[in-house]
Coordinates of all heavy atoms in Angstrom, one line a residue:
E1 N 16.9 -34.1 9.0 CA 17.0 -35.5 8.8 C 16.9 -35.8 7.3 O 17.3 -36.9 6.9 CB 15.8 -36.2 9.5 CG 16.0 -36.2 11.1 CD 14.8 -36.8 11.8 OE1 13.8 -37.1 11.1 OE2 14.9 -37.0 13.0
R2 N 16.3 -34.9 6.5 CA 16.2 -35.1 5.1 C 17.1 -34.1 4.3 O 16.9 -33.9 3.1 CB 14.7 -34.8 4.7 CG 13.8 -36.0 5.2 CD 12.4 -35.5 5.6 NE 11.6 -36.6 6.1 CZ 11.7 -37.1 7.3 NH1 12.5 -36.5 8.2 NH2 11.0 -38.1 7.7
F3 N 18.1 -33.6 5.0 CA 19.2 -32.8 4.5 C 18.6 -31.5 3.8 O 19.1 -31.0 2.8 CB 20.0 -33.6 3.5 CG 20.6 -34.8 4.2 CD1 20.0 -36.0 4.2 CD2 21.8 -34.7 5.0 CE1 20.5 -37.1 4.9 CE2 22.3 -35.7 5.7 CZ 21.7 -37.0 5.6
V4 N 17.6 -31.0 4.4 CA 17.0 -29.7 4.0 C 17.3 -28.7 5.1 O 17.0 -28.9 6.3 CB 15.5 -29.8 3.8 CG1 14.8 -28.4 3.5 CG2 15.2 -30.8 2.6
T5 N 17.9 -27.6 4.7 CA 18.2 -26.5 5.7 C 17.0 -25.5 5.6 O 16.6 -25.1 4.6 CB 19.5 -25.8 5.3 OG1 20.6 -26.7 5.3 CG2 19.7 -24.6 6.2
V6 N 16.5 -25.2 6.8 CA 15.4 -24.2 6.9 C 16.0 -22.8 7.2 O 16.7 -22.6 8.2 CB 14.4 -24.5 8.0 CG1 13.3 -23.6 8.0 CG2 13.9 -26.0 7.8
V7 N 15.8 -21.9 6.2 CA 16.3 -20.5 6.4 C 15.1 -19.6 6.7 O 14.1 -19.5 5.9 CB 16.9 -20.0 5.0 CG1 17.3 -18.6 5.1 CG2 18.1 -20.9 4.7
P8 N 15.1 -19.0 7.9 CA 14.0 -18.1 8.3 C 14.1 -16.7 7.7 O 15.2 -16.2 7.4 CB 14.1 -18.1 9.8 CG 15.6 -18.1 10.0 CD 16.1 -19.0 8.9
E9 N 13.0 -16.1 7.5 CA 13.0 -14.7 7.1 C 12.1 -13.8 8.0 O 10.9 -14.2 8.1 CB 12.5 -14.5 5.6 CG 12.5 -13.0 5.2 CD 11.8 -12.8 3.8 OE1 11.6 -13.8 3.1 OE2 11.5 -11.7 3.5
I10 N 12.6 -12.8 8.6 CA 11.9 -11.8 9.3 C 12.0 -10.5 8.5 O 13.0 -9.9 8.5 CB 12.5 -11.6 10.7 CG1 12.6 -12.9 11.5 CG2 11.7 -10.5 11.5 CD1 11.3 -13.6 11.8
D11 N 10.9 -10.2 7.8 CA 11.0 -9.1 6.9 C 11.0 -7.7 7.6 O 10.2 -7.5 8.4 CB 9.8 -9.2 5.9 CG 10.0 -8.6 4.5 OD1 11.0 -7.9 4.4 OD2 9.3 -8.9 3.6
L12 N 11.9 -6.9 7.2 CA 12.1 -5.5 7.7 C 12.9 -4.7 6.8 O 13.7 -5.3 6.0 CB 12.7 -5.6 9.1 CG 14.0 -6.3 9.3 CD1 15.2 -5.4 9.1 CD2 14.1 -6.9 10.7
P13 N 12.8 -3.4 6.8 CA 12.0 -2.5 7.6 C 10.6 -2.3 7.1 O 9.7 -1.8 7.7 CB 12.7 -1.2 7.6 CG 13.4 -1.2 6.3 CD 13.8 -2.6 6.0
G14 N 10.3 -2.8 5.8 CA 9.0 -2.7 5.3 C 8.3 -4.1 5.5 O 8.9 -5.0 6.1
H15 N 7.1 -4.2 5.0 CA 6.3 -5.5 5.2 C 6.2 -5.8 6.7 O 6.3 -6.9 7.1 CB 6.9 -6.6 4.5 CG 6.7 -6.5 3.0 ND1 5.5 -6.7 2.4 CD2 7.6 -6.2 2.0 CE1 5.6 -6.6 1.0 NE2 6.9 -6.2 0.8
T16 N 6.0 -4.8 7.5 CA 6.0 -4.9 9.0 C 4.7 -4.5 9.7 O 4.7 -4.2 10.9 CB 7.2 -4.2 9.6 OG1 7.2 -2.8 9.1 CG2 8.5 -4.9 9.3
Q17 N 3.6 -4.3 9.0 CA 2.4 -3.8 9.6 C 1.9 -4.7 10.7 O 1.4 -4.1 11.7 CB 1.3 -3.5 8.5 CG 0.1 -2.8 9.1 CD -0.8 -2.4 8.0 OE1 -0.4 -1.9 7.0 NE2 -2.1 -2.5 8.3
A18 N 2.1 -6.0 10.6 CA 1.6 -6.9 11.6 C 2.4 -6.6 12.9 O 1.8 -6.6 14.0 CB 1.7 -8.3 11.2
A19 N 3.7 -6.4 12.8 CA 4.5 -6.1 14.0 C 4.1 -4.7 14.6 O 4.0 -4.6 15.8 CB 6.0 -6.1 13.6
I20 N 3.8 -3.7 13.7 CA 3.5 -2.4 14.2 C 2.1 -2.5 14.9 O 1.8 -1.8 15.8 CB 3.5 -1.4 13.1 CG1 5.0 -1.2 12.6 CG2 2.9 -0.1 13.5 CD1 5.1 -0.5 11.3
A21 N 1.2 -3.3 14.4 CA -0.1 -3.5 15.0 C 0.0 -4.0 16.4 O -0.7 -3.6 17.3 CB -1.0 -4.4 14.2
A22 N 1.0 -4.9 16.6 CA 1.2 -5.4 17.9 C 2.0 -4.5 18.9 O 1.7 -4.4 20.1 CB 2.1 -6.7 17.8
Y23 N 2.9 -3.7 18.3 CA 3.7 -2.8 19.1 C 3.8 -1.4 18.4 O 4.7 -1.2 17.6 CB 5.1 -3.3 19.4 CG 5.1 -4.5 20.3 CD1 5.1 -5.8 19.8 CD2 5.1 -4.4 21.7 CE1 5.1 -6.9 20.6 CE2 5.1 -5.5 22.5 CZ 5.1 -6.8 22.0 OH 5.1 -7.9 22.8
P24 N 2.8 -0.6 18.6 CA 2.7 0.7 17.8 C 3.9 1.5 17.9 O 4.2 2.3 16.9 CB 1.5 1.4 18.4 CG 0.6 0.3 18.9 CD 1.6 -0.7 19.4
E25 N 4.7 1.4 18.9 CA 5.9 2.2 19.1 C 7.0 1.9 18.1 O 7.9 2.7 17.9 CB 6.5 2.1 20.5 CG 7.0 0.7 20.9 CD 5.9 -0.2 21.5 OE1 4.7 0.1 21.3 OE2 6.2 -1.1 22.2
L26 N 6.8 0.8 17.4 CA 7.8 0.5 16.3 C 7.5 1.3 15.0 O 8.4 1.4 14.2 CB 7.7 -1.0 15.9 CG 8.0 -2.0 17.1 CD1 7.7 -3.4 16.6 CD2 9.5 -1.9 17.5
G27 N 6.3 1.9 14.9 CA 6.0 2.6 13.7 C 6.4 4.0 13.8 O 6.9 4.5 14.8
N28 N 6.1 4.8 12.7 CA 6.4 6.2 12.6 C 5.3 7.1 13.1 O 5.5 8.3 13.3 CB 6.7 6.5 11.2 CG 8.0 5.9 10.7 OD1 9.1 6.4 11.0 ND2 7.9 4.7 10.0
N29 N 4.1 6.5 13.3 CA 3.0 7.3 13.9 C 2.3 6.5 15.0 O 1.2 5.9 14.8 CB 2.0 7.5 12.7 CG 2.6 8.4 11.6 OD1 2.8 9.5 11.7 ND2 2.8 7.7 10.5
P30 N 2.9 6.4 16.1 CA 2.5 5.5 17.2 C 1.1 5.8 17.7 O 0.4 5.0 18.3 CB 3.5 5.6 18.3 CG 4.2 6.9 18.0 CD 4.2 7.1 16.5
D31 N 0.6 7.1 17.5 CA -0.7 7.5 18.0 C -1.8 7.2 17.0 O -3.0 7.4 17.3 CB -0.7 9.0 18.4 CG 0.3 9.3 19.5 OD1 0.5 8.4 20.4 OD2 0.9 10.4 19.5
E32 N -1.4 6.7 15.9 CA -2.4 6.4 14.8 C -2.7 4.9 14.8 O -1.8 4.1 14.5 CB -1.9 6.8 13.5 CG -2.9 6.6 12.3 CD -2.3 7.1 11.0 OE1 -1.5 8.1 11.0 OE2 -2.6 6.5 10.0
P33 N -3.9 4.4 15.2 CA -4.1 3.0 15.3 C -4.0 2.3 14.0 O -4.4 2.8 12.9 CB -5.6 2.9 15.8 CG -5.9 4.3 16.4 CD -5.0 5.2 15.6
V34 N -3.4 1.1 14.0 CA -3.3 0.3 12.8 C -3.5 -1.2 13.2 O -3.1 -1.6 14.2 CB -1.9 0.5 12.2 CG1 -0.8 0.2 13.1 CG2 -1.7 -0.2 10.9
G35 N -4.1 -1.9 12.3 CA -4.3 -3.3 12.5 C -3.5 -4.1 11.6 O -2.8 -3.6 10.7
V36 N -3.5 -5.4 11.7 CA -2.9 -6.3 10.8 C -3.5 -6.1 9.4 O -4.8 -6.1 9.4 CB -3.0 -7.8 11.3 CG1 -2.4 -8.7 10.3 CG2 -2.3 -7.9 12.6
S37 N -2.8 -6.0 8.4 CA -3.3 -5.7 7.1 C -4.2 -6.9 6.6 O -3.9 -8.1 6.7 CB -2.2 -5.5 6.1 OG -2.7 -5.2 4.8
T38 N -5.3 -6.5 6.0 CA -6.2 -7.5 5.3 C -6.1 -7.4 3.8 O -6.7 -8.2 3.1 CB -7.6 -7.2 5.7 OG1 -8.0 -5.9 5.3 CG2 -7.8 -7.3 7.2
R39 N -5.2 -6.5 3.3 CA -5.1 -6.3 1.9 C -3.7 -6.9 1.4 O -2.8 -6.9 2.1 CB -5.1 -4.8 1.5 CG -6.5 -4.2 1.7 CD -6.4 -2.7 1.4 NE -7.7 -2.1 1.3 CZ -8.5 -1.8 2.4 NH1 -8.0 -2.0 3.6 NH2 -9.7 -1.3 2.2
W40 N -3.7 -7.3 0.1 CA -2.4 -7.7 -0.5 C -1.7 -6.5 -1.0 O -2.3 -5.4 -1.0 CB -2.7 -8.7 -1.6 CG -3.6 -9.8 -1.3 CD1 -4.6 -10.3 -2.1 CD2 -3.6 -10.7 -0.1 NE1 -5.2 -11.4 -1.5 CE2 -4.6 -11.6 -0.3 CE3 -2.9 -10.7 1.1 CZ2 -4.9 -12.6 0.6 CZ3 -3.2 -11.6 2.0 CH2 -4.2 -12.5 1.8
G41 N -0.5 -6.6 -1.4 CA 0.2 -5.5 -1.9 C 1.2 -4.9 -0.8 O 1.4 -5.5 0.3
V42 N 1.7 -3.7 -1.1 CA 2.7 -3.1 -0.2 C 2.1 -2.1 0.7 O 1.4 -1.1 0.2 CB 3.8 -2.4 -1.1 CG1 4.9 -1.8 -0.2 CG2 4.4 -3.5 -2.0
S43 N 2.2 -2.2 2.0 CA 1.7 -1.3 3.0 C 2.7 -0.1 3.1 O 3.9 -0.3 3.0 CB 1.6 -1.9 4.3 OG 1.3 -1.0 5.3
R44 N 2.1 1.1 3.3 CA 3.0 2.2 3.5 C 3.6 2.3 5.0 O 4.4 3.1 5.3 CB 2.2 3.5 3.3 CG 1.1 3.8 4.3 CD 0.3 5.1 3.9 NE -0.8 5.3 4.9 CZ -0.6 6.0 6.0 NH1 0.5 6.4 6.4 NH2 -1.7 6.2 6.8
R45 N 3.1 1.4 5.8 CA 3.5 1.3 7.2 C 4.9 0.6 7.3 O 5.0 -0.5 6.8 CB 2.6 0.5 8.1 CG 1.1 1.0 8.0 CD 0.9 2.3 8.8 NE -0.5 2.7 8.8 CZ -0.9 3.7 9.5 NH1 -0.1 4.4 10.3 NH2 -2.2 4.0 9.5
V46 N 5.9 1.3 7.8 CA 7.2 0.7 7.9 C 7.8 1.0 9.3 O 7.3 1.9 10.0 CB 8.2 1.3 6.9 CG1 7.7 1.0 5.5 CG2 8.4 2.8 7.0
L47 N 8.8 0.3 9.7 CA 9.4 0.5 11.0 C 10.1 1.9 11.1 O 10.6 2.4 10.1 CB 10.5 -0.5 11.3 CG 10.1 -2.0 11.3 CD1 11.3 -2.9 11.5 CD2 9.0 -2.2 12.4

């Protein structure tokens, strides 16, 4: 209504630790528990 287009971003394949915490099978080490990151910076966890 205000002529603003909303562009969504789903970040991948990096910056995905929150997704891997929810579905460990998306990660490279599914048997290693991981939570949503509490730190800033770049996580080594990727899809």
